[in-house]
Amino acid sequence: MSIDADGTRPVDQPQSPVEILRYTAFTHDPAGGNPAGVVLDAHGLDDATMLAIAARVGYSETAFVTSRDETNRRFGVRYFSPLAEVAFCGHATVALAVALAERTGPGEIVLDTPAGEIPVATASQDGAVLATLTSVATRSRPAESGELDAALKALGWDAGDLDPTLPPHVAFGGNDHLVLAAATRTRLASLDYDFDGLAEVMRRHDWTTVQLVWRESPERFHARDPFPVGGVVEDPATGAAAAAFGGYLRALGLVTAPTRISIRQGEDMGRPSDLLIDVDPRSARIRVTGRAVPIG
């Protein structure tokens, strides 16, 4: 089987006449960002069919619109990776919102997801569509020693590789993510982990990704997100983890006034992505902003 330019398998069309759109999120360049599948009409599709479509698409997630209220611009959405359903996915949400805006016009929409209600604002900017999702309420707690030790072993890291000023946490922004801060950009750039071992640790603790970050400045971070539980070595852009990370910064008291944080992700895997998060210390919800463009 041939391989697409973005490194994924091409879609094998399902037997039913389901239209599958392809977008890449958190970029203006089809060669960057994180690809997502989008099915705008998944009414009547059962779980097995949606999972099979997501597996055929081969991206880290595919978003399925399972119900539509056009009058109120409200949509039921479910997300599937190639291996399992995911409660929430930020980059597929941005891709879906842009796809809807291109067809019905920009504005406010509301997504009913397994993680909760997600408002999304879309607007035209410089000939493209910009989407801003508002996460569910975030939370963050210190990682337990057993959790941390198991994750570090699977990653091939040790405690000395971590930034002591950014403690390990498990942060939630629709689903749970282990947040580990690298002490150096070099440590972040060198990612060669035990795929099956880390997947087992993540399944045990119900983590969706492990978010590895490096702080360039107080308002700019670099990130990498291993996603072996979804059958993906690494996510090029992870909106849900970005929301969780905003909650992490808030929980640590590192944001004392409304602040916009930029996250650069995907650079080390050749799919650069730019995510913007707005963190307000008075609110547990985080706003995540990015673009999405069609692939092909």
Side-chain angles (χ1 to χ4, degrees):
M1 178 180 289
S2 63
I3 301 296
D4 286 353
D6 58 14
T8 62
R9 293 180 179 181
V11 174
D12 298 326
Q13 293 296 329
Q15 293 180 355
S16 57
V18 176
E19 182 182 15
I20 304 168
L21 307 176
R22 293 181 172 203
Y23 280 75
T24 186
F26 296 111
T27 183
H28 63 276
D29 182 356
N34 195 358
V38 174
V39 177
L40 294 179
D41 184 7
H43 176 72
L45 298 183
D46 60 19
D47 291 11
T49 300
M50 288 188 282
L51 181 61
I53 290 172
R56 292 187 187 106
V57 172
Y59 296 152
S60 56
E61 275 94 8
T62 295
F64 295 85
V65 176
T66 55
S67 65
R68 306 171 69 97
D69 178 351
E70 301 281 1
T71 301
N72 296 304
R73 294 174 65 90
R74 194 173 191 112
F75 304 86
V77 183
R78 295 176 68 183
Y79 309 92
F80 284 82
S81 80
L83 295 182
E85 184 171 10
V86 177
F88 177 65
C89 173
H91 85 276
T93 293
V94 168
L96 169 60
V98 170
L100 287 170
E102 289 177 345
R103 287 155 179 79
T104 64
E108 302 279 344
I109 63 172
V110 177
L111 304 181
D112 292 308
T113 80
E117 180 182 288
I118 304 292
V120 187
T122 59
S124 297
Q125 185 182 85
D126 301 326
V129 177
L130 197 68
T132 298
L133 68 88
T134 300
S135 76
V136 298
T138 59
R139 58 180 183 266
S140 190
R141 63 162 177 85
E144 298 174 1
S145 59
E147 296 174 320
L148 177 60
D149 291 345
L152 289 177
K153 180 179 179 181
L155 285 167
W157 289 25
D158 58 43
D161 290 318
L162 301 178
D163 182 343
T165 67
L166 294 170
H169 266 224
V170 175
F172 176 86
N175 33 42
D176 284 322
H177 306 262
L178 176 66
V179 179
L180 299 177
T184 65
R185 182 66 179 87
T186 300
R187 172 68 277 183
L188 184 67
S190 179
L191 183 62
D192 183 14
Y193 69 91
D194 178 350
F195 185 91
D196 292 332
L198 186 59
E200 192 280 325
V201 173
M202 294 172 67
R203 280 192 291 267
R204 187 191 319 157
H205 298 295
D206 198 24
W207 300 333
T208 297
T209 72
V210 174
Q211 187 170 54
L212 309 173
V213 300
W214 174 72
R215 179 166 53 187
E216 179 180 333
S217 73
E219 296 178 2
R220 182 169 174 81
F221 290 80
H222 295 250
R224 303 187 74 173
D225 280 71
F227 184 37
V229 292
V232 176
V233 173
E234 181 180 359
D235 234 2
T238 317
F245 184 66
Y248 165 87
L249 295 175
R250 176 180 175 272
L252 290 178
L254 296 176
V255 176
T256 58
T259 303
R260 171 160 281 192
I261 307 288
S262 67
I263 299 174
R264 179 74 162 177
Q265 191 178 336
E267 196 165 59
D268 294 301
M269 58 182 298
R271 294 195 67 89
S273 308
D274 292 293
L275 302 86
L276 299 174
I277 59 174
D278 290 290
V279 184
D280 187 333
R282 300 165 298 181
S283 174
R285 294 176 178 265
I286 306 298
R287 290 164 60 85
V288 182
T289 297
R291 297 185 180 195
V293 293
I295 300 172

